[in-house]
Amino acid sequence: MAENRQLRICMVSEETIVGKNAMIPGGIGQYILRYSESLRDMGHQITVVCRAERSFDSVDEGLRVVGLNCRKVPWNLCLFKWLWRNRFDIVEIPDWGGQGAVAAVFLPRSRGAIVTRGHGHSLFVQRAHGRREVKGRQFYKERVQLHCSDGILANSLYLRGMFTKDFDIKEREIDVCHIGVDPGAVGNVGTVDPQFNGAVLIYVGGLDRRKGPVHLLYILQKMRCRYPMYDTKLMLVGPDTPTGPDGTSYMEYCKTVADELGVSESVQFFGVVPRKQLASLYAQASIFVSGSHTETLGIPFLEAMSMGLPVVTWQRGAAPELIVQGQTGYTIEFGDMEAFAQATASMIVDPVTWQAFSRAARQHVRDNFSESKLLHNQVTWYRDVAAGRARLEK
């Protein structure tokens, strides 16, 4: 395959990500939307196929989006039938749910090489939520898809380790390419240096049990008690979920806990904010904090650092791959609220120290997590897979 030839790439999303019934996309949906647009801008022919209540086929600014109504057949089979009628060089399908299992087994490779992009699978989610691990139908579909794919791309070394452990895949059969960030995607053109805003903390992500924002409320209480002179504030930005006690609203659960801890007046809930408006919220904060139990990558960590915000989070998941300890932020032993509060406060008490962390964070993202650089690496990998140079042994 010619190294500069335009690729025909299909990105698969079980989420409805455009149209009247579009969902607020989760991490996978956001990745697909952003990378599809970036791949299009690089000159490739991109099609996004997603599940939808009503079938549609539209083209907007060179990006083709197809919605499949799958009420009468399972999504896995519906997707396979559609792919059978089309031709691509690469069909990229997320690992979650094994939604590409049928295609990975039965689709002729003349229709496109099947690659799995690892974001997080069913056992990972069960562990993150503290549930008992159950290898049910979803797990076995994921296993089939991974073992029958022509290539596997993991978001992090951490996720590659889980794939080898959970699905009995040899490490050499899994390539790793972190997802990069584009500061422009959150409204930051990179022309203004970030400003120190005192003891203002921000969290961006889903308000749900796995992400653990309730931990941040306890840390906020500790900081306000230990360092009352700094009047610490916390901004929580992101969609609510029904993962509170007994399936209730997690946001309402957080509000109840904030009242019980006496910090409700120091917490602001912003709900869902359009990505282009995130920059204005990041610009009001000094430090990004996360109580997430585990992340297979952690895009908000990278976005925050690209905006000049140091990050403090737990030493879990892929966080140590993103954060340079003591330079761009801190990763703290899980559950040590006191150490978390102390690490956060250490950057607040001295603006000069904060400036050093801020500059290091921005430079670290520029050097290692530039979307354009990582996307170029991913396209090179696509070409290798499409040419049969990176296919796994069956």
Side-chain angles (χ1 to χ4, degrees):
M1 177 178 292
E3 292 301 312
N4 295 319
R5 184 175 74 78
Q6 186 182 60
L7 291 176
R8 298 165 299 174
I9 302 170
C10 177
M11 307 284 278
V12 176
S13 171
E14 192 170 9
E15 297 174 279
T16 306
I17 56 179
V18 298
K20 287 184 178 180
N21 297 302
M23 306 181 212
I24 299 167
I28 295 176
Q30 290 180 19
Y31 157 78
I32 290 171
L33 283 173
R34 191 166 72 250
Y35 266 47
S36 293
E37 292 172 353
S38 297
L39 287 165
R40 174 205 59 196
D41 293 343
M42 292 172 68
H44 301 290
Q45 295 180 19
I46 309 301
T47 299
V48 177
V49 58
C50 62
R51 196 168 187 166
E53 287 191 10
R54 293 184 179 181
S55 297
F56 63 87
D57 191 334
S58 63
V59 178
D60 183 17
E61 297 183 355
L63 180 65
R64 182 188 179 199
V65 182
V66 178
L68 303 181
N69 181 337
C70 303
R71 293 180 189 174
K72 297 182 179 179
V73 294
W75 165 242
N76 213 310
L77 183 57
C78 184
L79 173 65
F80 167 72
K81 289 182 175 180
W82 183 84
L83 289 171
W84 185 280
R85 300 191 299 269
N86 292 271
R87 285 180 181 273
F88 300 98
D89 296 305
I90 292 290
V91 179
E92 181 181 303
I93 308 175
D95 56 339
W96 171 253
Q99 54 193 287
V102 175
V105 174
F106 296 109
L107 190 73
R109 289 332 191 229
S110 60
R111 301 294 194 273
I114 302 294
V115 301
T116 294
R117 172 57 117 147
H119 298 268
H121 51 286
S122 56
L123 290 186
F124 160 75
V125 173
Q126 289 171 25
R127 291 178 192 132
H129 282 279
R131 301 173 187 156
R132 182 173 63 90
E133 290 184 24
V134 178
K135 293 183 178 180
R137 183 189 305 177
Q138 190 170 0
F139 166 82
Y140 288 104
K141 287 195 296 183
E142 291 165 348
R143 180 182 175 86
V144 167
Q145 179 180 325
L146 285 160
H147 276 274
C148 295
S149 290
D150 298 297
I152 303 172
L153 200 60
N155 283 350
S156 61
L157 295 169
Y158 168 70
L159 182 57
R160 181 170 71 178
M162 279 198 292
F163 279 167
T164 61
K165 174 177 177 288
D166 293 335
F167 298 105
D168 193 28
I169 301 173
K170 295 177 181 178
E171 189 172 282
R172 64 180 174 77
E173 297 177 338
I174 306 167
D175 292 290
V176 175
C177 186
H178 294 105
I179 295 175
V181 294
D182 171 15
V186 290
N188 174 31
V189 294
T191 58
V192 180
D193 287 334
Q195 300 297 313
F196 178 66
N197 293 298
V200 181
L201 316 179
I202 186 171
Y203 163 78
V204 177
L207 299 184
D208 68 42
R209 181 180 176 184
R210 176 171 70 88
K211 301 288 187 177
V214 74
H215 294 182
L216 304 178
L217 301 176
Y218 288 93
I219 291 161
L220 174 64
Q221 183 198 42
K222 286 186 176 296
M223 291 190 66
R224 291 189 66 81
C225 290
R226 303 281 194 281
Y227 314 98
M229 69 290 291
Y230 296 114
D231 190 26
T232 308
K233 305 289 186 183
L234 173 63
M235 301 191 293
L236 297 175
V237 184
D240 191 13
T241 66
T243 57
D246 300 319
T248 58
S249 159
Y250 198 90
M251 182 183 292
E252 292 305 316
Y253 169 56
C254 285
K255 289 180 178 179
T256 299
V257 173
D259 285 336
E260 293 172 350
L261 296 175
V263 297
S264 57
E265 293 184 0
S266 300
V267 184
Q268 287 181 282
F269 293 86
F270 288 88
V272 178
V273 174
R275 290 181 59 76
K276 288 291 185 180
Q277 295 179 19
L278 273 178
S280 63
L281 293 179
Y282 279 125
Q284 296 174 39
S286 294
I287 298 176
F288 184 93
V289 290
S290 172
S292 182
H293 297 190
T294 185
E295 297 282 348
T296 59
L297 184 66
I299 288 293
F301 301 166
L302 296 176
E303 288 182 344
M305 286 192 290
S306 78
M307 303 289 289
L309 298 187
V311 174
V312 184
T313 187
W314 302 125
Q315 196 170 46
R316 281 196 160 191
E321 296 177 44
L322 311 185
I323 300 160
V324 182
Q325 187 80 337
Q327 295 182 33
T328 69
Y330 293 98
T331 56
I332 308 298
E333 184 177 350
F334 184 76
D336 192 341
M337 306 282 188
E338 188 67 41
F340 198 117
Q342 289 178 358
T344 305
S346 70
M347 293 180 283
I348 291 173
V349 299
D350 182 6
V352 175
T353 297
W354 179 88
Q355 288 286 355
F357 273 81
S358 176
R359 287 192 297 269
R362 295 182 83 189
Q363 193 62 48
H364 180 57
V365 173
R366 289 194 193 102
D367 292 346
N368 301 286
F369 297 99
S370 162
E371 181 179 283
S372 59
K373 178 181 177 180
L374 292 177
L375 192 54
H376 174 78
N377 295 343
Q378 188 163 320
V379 169
T380 299
W381 183 81
Y382 283 157
R383 294 188 189 281
D384 287 343
V385 173
R389 293 192 292 268
R391 292 194 175 183
L392 308 183
E393 296 178 4
K394 297 294 191 291

